[in-house]
């Protein structure tokens, strides 16, 4: 029985824990997660994938500028994006785990676009570098991750460097996220934990339809080394440059502030490239008569789309929109302007698509964008 046959059972049973020896289930360990089902007729849009898997969390830490969490799941395929070109990354024969990091501003739900990299160590010696891709997944949202080959079971330490941000901090965020912090996150790698990650096939009548799986509910996670929608904590580890080990709480889902709750006036929203673009005129809080903010989100789950470039034509004048972080607004693209009088026409264009890797369900979306035009009302 191969893994595809095993997964077919999941459609009727609702879930399957791959516990114990994989060979006892009828397949070799290195091929167990290489070929999960993939929707054959995928739309050029966000779609419901054919299968999903759960995850576990090794730990969390908080520093002076950033909070981080370290999670894991089985190695699996994803697609990288460079410019407008995609490359499919398949699971290597030596890959043992998919490690994932979430980085956010402590005390907020704002997941941050930052530089992330590190080193995996064992007994004080470097095992391999860790350079995770910025990624989008339907269950986890925006995060950083990669498939990793660990040589043996046992205790490891991830020395993770975080920052600076690639965005412009404004308001109460001004001057923050502009330096690098280093965290040490220890974890115990056990093959049995990876084998116990649950796979579930999506019913065939839903596969490939426009839509998305629900974001993971971190609030229900508890227990050490947990998986599924359960989050294990084996301790938060202090940042090596002066951070604390205080628990920063559950990692946020990267869902943006609801558009209807943003301060200011919503000028319009439109779906383009299968992303939701919303244009908002905010209150004058950034030393300008008014401020124009544009929010790019995924449909269905409202996850912030990072690492993209936008521009605007405001009343006939070109304006660069800067990727920005604000406490009240969260991640967005914005510009200070005094030209937002009633009747002003604003056209927003996507200059560069989101430069993030994508898991199943997102790899065909966010490529072909049309301009969005709105008009300032009375």
């Amino acid at each position: 029985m191969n893994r595809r046959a095993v997964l077919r059972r999941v459609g009727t049973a609702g879930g399957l824990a791959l516990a114990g020896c994989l060979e006892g289930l009828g397949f070799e360990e290195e091929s167990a997660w290489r070929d999960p089902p993939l929707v054959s007729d995928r739309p050029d849009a966000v779609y419901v994938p054919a299968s999903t898997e759960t995850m576990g969390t090794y730990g969390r830490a908080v520093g002076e500028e950033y909070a981080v969490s370290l999670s894991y799941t089985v190695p699996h395929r994803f697609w990288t994006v460079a410019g407008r070109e995609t490359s499919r990354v398949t699971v290597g024969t030596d890959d043992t785990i998919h490690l994932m990091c979430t980085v956010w501003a402590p005390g907020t739900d704002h997941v941050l676009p930052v530089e992330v990299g590190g080193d995996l160590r064992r007994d004080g010696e470097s095992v391999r570098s860790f350079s995770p891709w910025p990624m989008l997944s339907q269950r986890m949202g925006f995060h950083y991750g990669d498939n990793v080959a660990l040589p043996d079971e046992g205790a490891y330490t991830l020395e993770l460097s975080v920052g600076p941000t690639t965005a412009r901090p404004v308001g109460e965020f001004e001057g923050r996220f502009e330096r690098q912090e280093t965290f040490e996150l220890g974890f115990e790698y056990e093959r049995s934990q990876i084998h116990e990650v649950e796979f579930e096939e999506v019913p065939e009548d839903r596969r490939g339809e426009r839509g998305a799986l629900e974001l993971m509910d971190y609030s229900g996670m508890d227990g050490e080394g947990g998986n599924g929608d359960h989050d294990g904590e084996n301790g938060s580890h202090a940042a090596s440059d002066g951070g604390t080990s205080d628990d920063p709480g559950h990692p946020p889902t990267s869902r943006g502030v609801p558009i209807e709750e943003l301060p200011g006036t919503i000028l319009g929203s439109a779906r383009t490239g299968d992303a939701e673009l919303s244009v908002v005129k905010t209150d004058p809080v950034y030393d300008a008569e008014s401020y124009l903010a544009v929010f790019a989100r995924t449909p269905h789950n409202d996850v912030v789309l990072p690492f993209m470039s936008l521009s605007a034509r405001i009343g006939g004048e070109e304006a660069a929109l800067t990727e920005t972080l604000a406490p009240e607004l969260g991640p967005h693209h914005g510009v200070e302007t005094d030209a937002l009088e009633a009747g002003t026409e604003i056209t927003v264009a996507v200059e560069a698509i989101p430069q993030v890797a994508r898991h199943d369900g997102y790899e065909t979306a966010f490529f072909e964008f049309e301009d969005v035009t709105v008009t300032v009302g009375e």
Side-chain angles (χ1 to χ4, degrees), residues 73 155 355:
T73 188
Q355 298 297 294

Side-chain angles (χ1 to χ4, degrees), residues 140-161:
M140 196 173 176
F142 170 48
H143 64 284
Y144 304 84
D146 199 3
N147 296 328
V148 174
L150 296 178
D152 298 294
E153 294 183 295
Y156 290 84
T157 298
L158 173 60
E159 188 176 281
L160 189 70
S161 296

Side-chain angles (χ1 to χ4, degrees), residues 54-58 60 71-72 139 197-198 216-233 250:
T54 56
M55 57 166 274
T57 297
Y58 282 134
R60 299 186 289 271
S71 305
Y72 67 90
R139 295 282 282 138
V197 167
E198 295 183 358
M216 191 169 295
D217 181 11
Y218 289 100
S219 64
M221 290 183 169
D222 55 17
E224 189 169 327
N227 58 54
D229 277 350
H230 300 281
D231 176 4
E233 278 187 78
H250 295 294

Side-chain angles (χ1 to χ4, degrees), residues 157-179:
T157 298
L158 173 60
E159 188 176 281
L160 189 70
S161 296
V162 177
T165 183
T166 58
R168 173 189 59 167
V170 298
E172 293 183 7
F173 279 168
E174 187 173 357
R176 296 186 58 188
F177 318 126
E178 295 178 349
R179 66 184 182 91

Side-chain angles (χ1 to χ4, degrees), residues 1-53:
M1 177 172 25
N2 60 26
R3 181 170 180 270
R4 193 176 298 276
V6 172
L7 284 169
R8 277 199 290 270
R9 292 184 176 183
V10 181
T12 57
L16 174 68
L18 300 181
C21 178
L22 286 171
E23 284 80 358
L25 293 173
F27 45 79
E28 297 295 324
E29 177 177 326
E30 62 265 21
S31 63
W33 36 68
R34 182 174 296 175
D35 296 308
L38 177 65
V39 174
S40 58
D41 187 17
R42 294 169 289 164
D44 293 330
V46 177
Y47 69 91
V48 177
S51 64
T52 184
E53 67 272 340

Side-chain angles (χ1 to χ4, degrees), residues 37-39 41-52 76-79 136-139 202 206-213 273-274 298-301 305 357-367:
L38 177 65
V39 174
D41 187 17
R42 294 169 289 164
D44 293 330
V46 177
Y47 69 91
V48 177
S51 64
T52 184
H76 51 75
R77 68 172 167 250
F78 57 90
W79 286 259
L136 286 173
S137 77
Q138 293 191 358
R139 295 282 282 138
V202 173
R206 287 200 63 204
R207 298 178 196 177
E209 72 178 18
R210 298 289 188 94
L213 301 174
D274 212 38
T298 68
H300 317 298
N301 284 330
L305 289 172
R358 292 95 179 278
H359 292 282
D360 289 17
Y362 280 144
E363 80 278 9
T364 55
F366 319 132
F367 284 97

